[in-house]
Amino acid sequence: MALPLSAEGGRCAGRVPCVIAARGASPAMRARVLRAWREGVRAAGPPWRVLFFGTDRFAVTALRALRAAGEPSEGPLVSRLEVVTLPSPLPGDLPVRRCASELRLPVHEWPHTGPVGQFDVGVVASFGRLLSEDLILQFPYGVLNVHPSCLPRWRGPAPIIHTVLHGDKVTGVTIMEIRPKRFDVGPIIKQEEVAVPPRCTAQELEGMLAKMGANMLLAVLKNLPESLKNKKEQPKEGVTFAPKISIAKSCIKWEEQTAAQIIQLHRAIGSMFPLQTLWKGTTVKLLDFVEVDNIPGFSDQTLNDCGVVPGSVLFHKMSQTLIARCKEGWVGIKTVVLKKKLTAVDFYNGYMHSWFQQNPRTVHQECRFQTLKLSMAKKTLKERGILAQDIKQ
């Protein structure tokens, strides 16, 4: 099949074969023609024409790196860069959309993906949508995915959260080749490991892995043909999944979760869904958790263990910290959101002081947090926007 070529070293100047749009052509026929077409129009090397697919903060780091790689000062890796992102109810709501606008990059709203057959390679980072085989085959060098885990561990939309939630000591980034129909199963092009810093939150780890992934992506693009030749299939062993986290996960289960588990949960999802509980029948958010080992003088405090139940709350005056009983151990809390943001001191003075006037070291049965049930969590989802404003204040 004769194809129109531009003067740019044989790159396709216009469109992919019209059989793509032919309704009568079978999927197998379209795939065969597209494979033959893209083999014939592959550029030998950079600069590349890149179509970027992404949505969130993690994706923004890769997008900025690609934009910087198009600067002429150091021999550009990218000659053309356009962006595909998801529809959003509010203009500029998605970080990638805001970034693309700032960088003055053309933006296409999914499922629209811009001009057909005018890009060498696609790049995906935190996009959350499956790409069809027809779309993948429109890129002579396929579509690369920047995934923040060492695949096959933590396939799915929330790998960073699950890394922190499960206390992984090592994580990493994988540059892989996208395949249709299933997420995160394609061959590995490049993979690097890194130690997870102690007490690291998911938000902190995201920033670290985003920079690492952007650098790895540029390294792959510098020698893309060779990188693709050396790709390898993912191991069949060690597969784990990282499903999307819902707001229900933020409900603390005082009777079931240890202090260590609650701290880990806070580090994993606290920046997205602040942990929540009940205080006298009212939903409250708990922020700024601390380990009791880091609270000066707490281990020396004499507690009356009689009647101590999970959720029981004390106030540690020396450190100005609320101390809550868990299934095992105690956890410190510095901030509570109840109608508005309160320090531990404010919460104690407003809601706990009367119980502790005579004996500040006695645990009182009525002075406790209680587990928020899932049916109530649905209501909390509606309140999330209001509470999010309170948290920012």
Side-chain angles (χ1 to χ4, degrees):
M1 178 181 293
L3 296 174
L5 300 178
S6 74
E8 295 183 55
R11 296 182 187 228
C12 178
R15 54 188 71 142
V16 296
C18 61
V19 71
I20 296 174
R23 294 182 180 179
S26 69
M29 172 63 78
R30 289 200 304 272
R32 282 198 298 271
V33 173
L34 279 168
R35 287 192 183 96
W37 168 80
R38 72 177 192 170
E39 288 296 326
V41 299
R42 277 185 173 177
W48 309 111
R49 298 166 301 171
V50 179
L51 185 60
F52 182 84
F53 299 77
T55 57
D56 63 12
R57 286 188 310 246
F58 178 83
V60 163
T61 305
L63 179 59
R64 288 190 181 279
L66 288 171
R67 178 65 179 85
E71 297 296 331
S73 55
E74 300 181 4
L77 271 179
V78 177
S79 61
R80 177 176 179 178
L81 180 60
E82 297 188 15
V83 176
V84 178
T85 193
L86 300 180
S88 175
L90 298 174
D93 189 36
L94 294 175
V96 161
R97 188 185 295 273
R98 291 197 300 269
C99 178
S101 176
E102 174 195 331
L103 299 176
R104 298 183 180 180
L105 297 172
V107 177
H108 310 283
E109 193 170 277
W110 181 263
H112 303 291
T113 57
V116 176
Q118 294 189 18
F119 298 95
D120 300 303
V121 62
V123 172
V124 168
S126 297
F127 187 58
R129 296 292 186 273
L130 286 171
L131 307 190
S132 68
E133 185 175 25
D134 275 2
L135 178 57
I136 294 169
L137 289 174
Q138 290 173 24
F139 299 92
Y141 282 98
V143 181
L144 313 179
N145 182 24
V146 185
H147 186 84
S149 80
C150 288
L151 292 170
R153 185 162 178 80
W154 301 133
R155 290 175 177 170
I160 297 174
I161 288 175
H162 285 272
T163 295
V164 175
L165 189 60
H166 290 80
D168 289 7
K169 303 298 183 186
V170 176
T171 185
V173 175
T174 304
I175 308 295
M176 55 161 285
E177 189 176 60
I178 289 281
R179 284 186 175 165
K181 299 179 182 178
R182 290 178 64 196
F183 284 111
D184 306 327
V185 299
I188 295 169
I189 299 169
K190 187 177 181 66
Q191 187 175 87
E192 292 182 6
E193 291 186 351
V194 65
V196 178
R199 298 181 176 85
C200 186
T201 67
Q203 193 169 23
E204 291 165 345
L205 187 60
E206 178 188 82
M208 188 174 83
L209 295 181
K211 292 177 183 176
M212 182 177 171
N215 291 334
M216 290 170 61
L217 173 64
L218 297 185
V220 168
L221 290 175
K222 283 179 182 177
N223 196 0
L224 185 56
E226 190 66 24
S227 297
L228 291 173
K229 284 180 185 177
N230 295 328
K231 66 187 179 185
K232 58 182 180 180
E233 296 296 326
Q234 294 185 28
K236 295 182 179 179
E237 302 78 24
V239 176
T240 58
F241 295 94
K244 188 177 180 180
I245 297 293
S246 75
I247 196 170
K249 189 75 173 175
S250 67
C251 300
I252 299 174
K253 301 175 182 177
W254 299 104
E255 298 82 4
E256 300 177 21
Q257 293 173 313
T258 67
Q261 288 171 332
I262 291 171
I263 289 281
Q264 204 79 340
L265 181 63
H266 170 65
R267 289 174 181 156
I269 71 170
S271 62
M272 180 172 63
F273 298 127
L275 303 196
Q276 55 185 342
T277 188
L278 283 178
W279 172 260
K280 302 299 178 188
T282 301
T283 301
V284 298
K285 304 284 187 182
L286 305 181
L287 312 178
D288 305 324
F289 285 78
V290 292
E291 296 169 290
V292 293
D293 291 345
N294 297 329
I295 299 176
F298 176 74
S299 57
D300 298 328
Q301 184 172 5
T302 303
L303 295 173
N304 180 1
D305 285 335
C306 180
V308 176
V309 295
S312 297
V313 187
L314 288 171
F315 178 68
H316 187 252
K317 189 173 182 180
M318 183 188 303
S319 64
Q320 299 188 335
T321 306
L322 299 175
I323 312 290
R325 180 68 183 178
C326 312
K327 177 186 177 182
E328 294 178 13
W330 298 77
V331 67
I333 302 152
K334 288 286 191 180
T335 308
V336 178
V337 180
L338 197 169
K339 296 182 181 178
K340 64 178 182 178
K341 195 172 181 180
L342 302 171
T343 65
V345 175
D346 293 335
F347 186 82
Y348 171 74
N349 289 334
Y351 299 94
M352 294 172 59
H353 183 260
S354 60
W355 279 307
F356 295 94
Q357 282 179 314
Q358 293 185 355
N359 191 344
R361 297 183 178 182
T362 300
V363 177
H364 294 265
Q365 284 276 2
E366 296 179 4
C367 186
R368 59 179 294 218
F369 294 128
Q370 293 180 303
T371 297
L372 178 63
K373 303 301 181 184
L374 294 182
S375 58
M376 295 181 182
K378 293 179 181 178
K379 178 183 176 183
T380 306
L381 183 58
K382 298 177 183 178
E383 299 169 352
R384 184 182 166 203
I386 299 171
L387 288 168
Q389 291 177 0
D390 293 336
I391 291 165
K392 291 177 182 177
Q393 290 175 358

